[in-house]
Every structure is written in C-alpha cells, then in structure tokens.
C-alpha cells in the first residue's frame, strides 16, 4: 500500500505535539472525531496516520502524516486537499514537505519537456539561459513587439509577457501574440538566432483554453501561467491535457507564508507540470534567504520518481550588476530573469540587454 | 475614472511606510521601477497610486492603493493578480481589504441566488438554516445515501458532501449523486419535506464541468466547490457561465494565503459568486476571534454595489451543545453547519440530528 506523506511545522510544545499530530491526521482525511471512524476500510485505507513527531530545533514540532493513496483518487485537486485543505485554516500550521509515492508521481506526471526541452528551443546547452519580461502593462501590441525586437537582437533567450498582461482593451491577447510572434520571426531572419516569445495565459478556464489554442496555432513555442492565480488543477490540466508546448510557471498570488517556498515552487509546481518555474530569488527586491533558494532550486532538478527536472528561473528584481553572481549561484541549469532593470535608462535598453546577456554568458 | 482600492497591512515603521507604499503601488501594477513609467497613458490609466498610509494601532501600517480600473481588464483572474499578485510574496504584507467600483462589482456579479434563493429551496424563512456533511470519506454511495436519509428525516435543511469526496474508485461521483438524489426524493415522499443534497465538485476543469452537468441533470438543487482548491477564476466561471443552481463555497486550502479571513470569505467569495460561504467559526476546533467572525458574516450580507447577499455558514467543528448560542450570534440569516459531532455516538445519529434541528429552530 502506498502513502502520500505530508510534513507540517506546528507551533506547539512537546506536551501538545502528539495530540495535535493525531488531530492533523484526522483533519486532513476523515474530518470527524476518531470515535466516528468505525469502518475497517476507512480505518485502513483512508484515515491518515501519524508517522513522526519531532521537535524542531528552531522551536515547535515537525509532524509527518501518512495518508493512504486510496484517499487521493489520484486527482490533482484532491491531492492538494489532502496535503493542506482544512489544516491550512489553522494559523499555527505550515505545510513544509511532501513525498509522493510512485502512483501519485505518475498521475501528476511533472514536466513534459523540462530543462532539456527548453534548452532545445534555443539550442543553448553550455550556460545558464536568460529571460526578461515585456512590461510595463499599458503598452500597445506594437510597442511590446518593438520591445521584444530589442531584447531578441541583444540575444536574450526567453522573452515572456509580464504576468499582468491580460485581455486588455488597449492590448488584446490575440493582437499581442500575433505582433510578437511576427517580431520573433523577423529578428530570427535578421540575426540567425530565434529568441522565444512566451505569452501569458490568464483568466477563467474558457479564456485560458482559448488563449492557449490561439497561441499554439500562431506558432508560440512556450506559454506562461500563474498556477496559484488560475488554480493548480487548471495548471495541471493545461500541462497534461491541453498544451503541446512547454509551460512556465509564474509565482503571482502564491504568497507562500504557510507553504514553505521550497515545497510549493520546488516540488508542487514541478510535480504539476511546470517546465520552468519563476521564483523570487535572494538578491532581488524580495529577499528569501539564500539557503531557501538553494533548496528550492535543488528540488526542481534533483532525481524524483522519474519526473523530469524543471528549469529554475530566479527573478523578482535581479540587476545586471549582480546577474553573473546569481547565475553562478544557481549554476548552468538555470534561467536568469532580469525585468525592469533592463529598462531603467531610456534609450539604453538595447545596451543593458546586451550587458545582461554577456554577464550570463561569461558564467557558462 | 474608477479605481480598484486595495488595503494592505505591512509590518513597517513610520520611517519606511511611505516608501513601501510607493513600492506596493508599483509592484501591483507596472512591476518596474518608477523611472521606467514614461508613457502618459500608463501613468494615468495603469499605475497604482498611494491613497492612504495610516499607522495601525496594533503596530505596522495600513496602506491603501488605488488601481485604475483599466488595468483589471474586468477579468476575474486579473482582479486577483492586481489585488495580491506579486506582493503576496513579500512575507510582511497582508491583504486586508478591497473596494470594488461599480464596474468591477458588475463584472464579478456576486451570488446569483444568495440567501433568498437558498431559503426558497427549503421554504424556511423564519430561522437560521441547518447543514451537515456526508462523511467520513471512505463510505460507499449507498452508505452515504443512508446517512443522508437519517439527516433528512431529522429535518436538517442542507446535507452536503464532505469536501474530500472526490472521484474515488470506492465511491464514484455519479453513483453517489444518483443514490443521494434518490434518497432525497424518497424522504420527501415520506415526510413531506425535502432536504437539499449538495454534491461536492472537485478536480480539474474538465472533471468539474462534467460533474456539474451530471449533478444538474440528475436533479441536484445546489452544488459545493472549494474555490481556493480549484482556483477562484474556475469558481467564477462555474457560477456565472455554467451552473444553473446555487453554489456553496468551502474554505479548503484557503488558509494558505495571507489574506484577512473577513476579506477572503466575506467579500471575495461573495463577489465571485458564492450563494453561501462555509467558514470556520469561533466555537469550533478552529478558533478565529469572535470579532473576525462578526465582520466576516456582516460582509456577506451587507448592502454592496447591488450584489446579492451570500448566506454565512459557520462550521468547523461546532457541537450540538453550543449550536443555539452560535446561531443566535449569527442571527436568522445564517446556516449552521454541524458535521462530525452528529455522529460521535454510534446508533444515536438520528437523535443527535433531531437535537441539532430543535436547537436551531428554538432560536428563530
């Protein structure tokens, strides 16, 4: 019998830890007092069981619950529900780790293309990749396409929409995709090197599915989605039922206070199918500790139940000046995202873009 | 020009508060340094502006940002992105309030049936409604239908699936719905009073849409969804593009965000279309403060831009013994949810269910 293992950090003293652990095991599975579990099947195949209660050196306790696989129905939404459904409503509980048995890993499937697939799109294998964003929001499709041309001429590998580019009247999705894909072809013709334009899909399912269809039909070679904004199960369905191109995950709305970032971005986004995961890095205007970033990036690429590795994309306000050191920290299998910093001086966007590309190339 | 107004609590001292406020306004809209905003249209129609920076008596500051409506594209996912997209990744920021202008309220639409629609389903207008859950997970469709019969005979108004009932091999959705709807009709015949069976929809969009269609075709008169599990934009699409019956919202996975509960459950779930909102109440095994519960319940029913009120459904482990006092606290326009407590004594489920119904009826 296989188990989904979930670990929580709970702010409790030793005297309460075991009782809380039993309560967590109930809350995440049967959601009734223990006395109500009278049926042998429910007891053996559904009820969560406490596997470990360990004091955390930093205070509080780490509690690990094993949940029988049968309870998950191998469904992407139900897996989340069992991981951190009702217990997320207890303010002192943080979900810190998960272990998927082979059956769940196989059901979730992970990335379809992963690092190798993204590298193949640009033919680069010996250095970290580079990435920037088309922004700020508020520009016309033609203005964004022109910005794309500047970035592509400078040799940036992936140029993604900002995650706030939606179905705006001043910049409809289809016009934007058409203009940027045309610019992609035009600069490839000019330079012999084809950067990848990555449109952002955002909206309710009917909107996103339509956007995906249009993007693929127009020749987009990758797309981006914010899984927490649209829903992780939607993200899974896009990756595994609808998209035929790689999918980048953006962290918007992922406010990870109570799911450890290394778990959410490092394991969950990967398991659900992200070929690349954008996350806020140390050295940005967000400031997670270096060791969290290290664990997060490691989780994205380490061997895991036959699931492909996912490309770490550190971002969140990295500057050209520190791009090389950040690239060295994450190593070759990463993609550096530098956004607004390329645009801080009017008229110098091309120059700054080239400087970014050179800085990262130097680390390969 | 209309604005989406969003308020945040930020853990900063007075000397940093104004700078953080400007940073929040940039982060939530243009996501570039201020100097990059050179275009007049972007400056006036996209860029967020700081409206208020006030010291919070409990410490830190409350910051209110006004975001021009044009940035929202009136899209349910983009509204979330602008409310708390990237800023959710700053560990010291909590999203505490939002004001929707008429245009966004109209686009989101809110509940289609609301309190009046739910009351009409059971013909009860003079007392709080009652609710319980079919659980624990792990039972067969027939066992759950039998539990439904017990609750319906006792006169409980709404009997919902537990939010963990998914597409399990031991209890497929369609078999469960068929069995429970049949039980609903059977007990209505017997007692002359028809309780409402509320199936839980869970999964990726294709699964949920199929479940909804089957449930409605089978005669279900309401359904339940966990918006944070499946994604708020999916929830919106279900409510406003697909469902023809009322939708109850369940709080599973909702605690993972740093959004004040009175905002998320009281305003956001209502605005997105929940006809009834289940939340964990004071007096349960979760223990939010009474004043948070009061504000949350008030938000669900207060007049708001022509949006229908949504039914407050306090739950999370309320016991029969305190049901009457909790019902009095929330008043007539509420629905009490008592779950596992009805089942703690084998053989006394019917009796305890009747006691629950009587306790709430006594407060009408």
């Amino acid at each position: 019998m296989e188990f989904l293992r979930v670990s929580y950090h709970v702010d409790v003293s030793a005297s309460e830890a075991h009782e809380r652990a039993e309560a967590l095991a109930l809350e995440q599975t049967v959601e009734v007092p223990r006395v109500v579990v009278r049926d042998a099947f429910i007891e053996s195949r559904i009820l969560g069981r406490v596997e470990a209660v360990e004091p955390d050196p930093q205070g509080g306790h780490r509690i690990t619950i094993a949940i029988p696989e049968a309870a998950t129905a191998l469904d992407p939404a139900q897996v989340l529900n069992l991981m951190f459904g009702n217990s997320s409503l207890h303010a002192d509980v943080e979900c810190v780790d998960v272990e998927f048995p082979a059956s769940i890993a196989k059901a979730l499937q992970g990335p379809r293309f992963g690092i190798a697939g993204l590298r193949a799109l640009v033919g680069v294998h010996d250095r970290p990749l580079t990435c920037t964003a088309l922004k700020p929001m508020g520009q016309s499709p033609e203005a964004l396409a022109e910005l794309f041309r500047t970035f592509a001429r400078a040799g940036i590998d992936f140029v993604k929409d900002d995650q706030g580019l939606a179905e705006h009247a001043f910049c409809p999705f289809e016009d934007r995709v058409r203009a940027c894909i045309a610019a992609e072809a035009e600069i490839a013709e000019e330079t012999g090197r084809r950067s990848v334009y990555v449109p952002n899909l955002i909206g309710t399912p009917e909107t996103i599915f339509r956007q995906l269809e249009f993007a693929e039909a127009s020749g987009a070679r990758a797309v981006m989605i914010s899984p927490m904004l649209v829903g992780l199960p939607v993200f899974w369905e896009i990756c595994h039922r609808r998209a035929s191109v790689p999918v980048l995950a953006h962290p918007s709305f992922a406010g990870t206070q109570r799911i450890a970032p290394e778990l959410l971005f490092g394991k969950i986004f990967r398991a659900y199918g992200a070929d690349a995961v954008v996350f806020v890095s140390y050295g940005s205007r967000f400031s997670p500790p270096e060791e969290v970033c290290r664990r997060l990036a490691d989780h994205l690429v380490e061997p895991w139940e036959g699931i492909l590795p996912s490309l770490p994309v550190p971002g969140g306000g990295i500057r050209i000046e520190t791009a090389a050191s950040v690239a060295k920290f994450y190593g070759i299998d990463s993609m550096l995202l530098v956004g607004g910093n390329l645009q801080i001086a009017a008229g110098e966007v091309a120059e700054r873009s080239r400087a970014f590309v050179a800085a990262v190339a130097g680390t390969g």
Side-chain angles (χ1 to χ4, degrees), chain A:
Chain A
M1 199 163 115
E2 296 200 308
F3 292 90
L4 168 66
R5 284 186 175 74
V6 192
S7 297
Y8 308 88
H9 179 273
V10 188
D11 271 333
V12 282
S13 61
S15 65
E16 301 161 292
H18 286 271
E19 195 182 320
R20 281 302 295 275
E22 294 296 340
L24 265 168
L26 291 169
E27 191 68 73
Q28 285 307 105
T29 53
V30 292
E31 287 187 51
V32 287
R34 183 65 183 81
V35 310
V36 176
V37 181
R38 302 175 188 108
D39 178 291
F41 175 80
I42 298 176
E43 194 163 9
S44 67
R45 303 292 302 280
I46 301 293
L47 182 64
R49 48 203 81 177
V50 176
E51 259 200 358
V53 180
E54 302 150 311
D56 183 327
Q58 327 265 283
H61 283 74
R62 183 185 171 104
I63 292 169
T64 300
I65 307 293
I67 299 173
E69 181 231 279
T72 71
L74 298 180
D75 176 85
Q78 175 72 348
V79 168
L80 285 184
N81 186 36
L82 292 170
M83 270 183 58
F84 205 35
N86 277 7
S87 292
S88 74
L89 302 164
H90 280 297
D92 60 353
V93 180
E94 185 189 15
C95 186
V96 294
D97 204 5
V98 66
E99 273 178 52
F100 293 133
S103 57
I104 295 180
K106 200 176 153 208
L108 292 177
Q109 304 179 48
R112 294 157 302 137
F113 300 93
I115 295 177
L118 290 167
R119 287 200 176 281
L121 284 183
V122 287
V124 173
H125 302 279
D126 56 353
R127 60 159 172 81
L129 299 174
T130 51
C131 182
T132 190
L134 296 179
K135 59 180 177 180
M137 161 179 27
Q139 298 177 76
S140 67
E142 204 27 67
L144 292 173
E146 188 50 34
L147 197 52
F148 178 90
R149 286 186 195 96
T150 303
F151 293 143
R153 276 198 192 97
I156 294 175
D157 300 307
F158 286 78
V159 181
K160 67 172 194 64
D161 280 347
D162 205 17
Q163 101 284 358
L165 301 193
E167 285 285 6
H168 291 105
F170 52 79
C171 189
F173 180 83
E174 299 194 356
D175 295 349
R176 184 168 84 238
V177 170
R178 225 180 266 121
C180 292
I181 296 283
E184 194 190 288
E186 183 193 323
I187 303 303
E189 184 75 16
E190 182 184 312
T191 64
R193 198 182 168 290
R194 189 161 190 151
S195 299
V196 180
Y197 165 61
V198 187
N200 177 51
L201 314 185
I202 184 170
T204 72
E206 62 180 5
T207 304
I208 295 188
F209 296 163
R210 181 170 32 79
Q211 290 172 338
L212 173 68
E213 212 167 302
F214 183 86
E216 292 196 348
S218 306
R221 293 177 297 151
V223 296
M224 184 176 82
I225 297 175
S226 301
M228 303 310 283
L229 214 50
V230 304
L232 268 164
V234 180
F235 182 73
W236 185 90
E237 185 172 310
I238 291 273
C239 293
H240 299 292
R241 292 284 180 271
R242 295 178 180 266
S244 54
V245 298
V247 178
L248 279 70
H250 189 283
S252 179
F253 201 58
T256 57
Q257 184 77 337
R258 299 195 19 249
I259 304 184
E262 57 267 50
L263 168 60
L264 185 62
F265 299 117
K267 294 178 117 179
I268 304 298
F269 277 26
R270 176 180 173 193
Y272 276 68
D275 294 292
V277 175
V278 178
F279 60 93
V280 296
S281 175
Y282 86 93
S284 74
R285 65 183 180 277
F286 301 80
S287 34
E290 277 191 28
E291 62 272 22
V292 170
C293 297
R294 172 66 69 209
R295 284 198 298 272
L296 192 168
D298 285 351
H299 281 336
L300 284 171
V301 301
E302 66 201 7
W304 191 28
E305 294 288 355
I307 289 182
L308 288 186
S310 184
L311 187 64
V313 187
I318 294 169
R319 289 166 298 117
I320 297 177
E321 293 70 25
T322 53
S325 75
V326 174
K328 272 184 203 133
F329 177 87
Y330 290 106
I332 282 186
D333 274 337
S334 65
M335 175 153 79
L336 243 69
L337 167 58
V338 175
N341 188 256
L342 299 184
Q343 301 189 52
I344 51 174
E348 293 176 23
V349 180
E351 192 185 324
R352 293 186 67 81
S353 298
R354 286 192 299 271
F356 168 41
V357 169
V360 174
T363 70

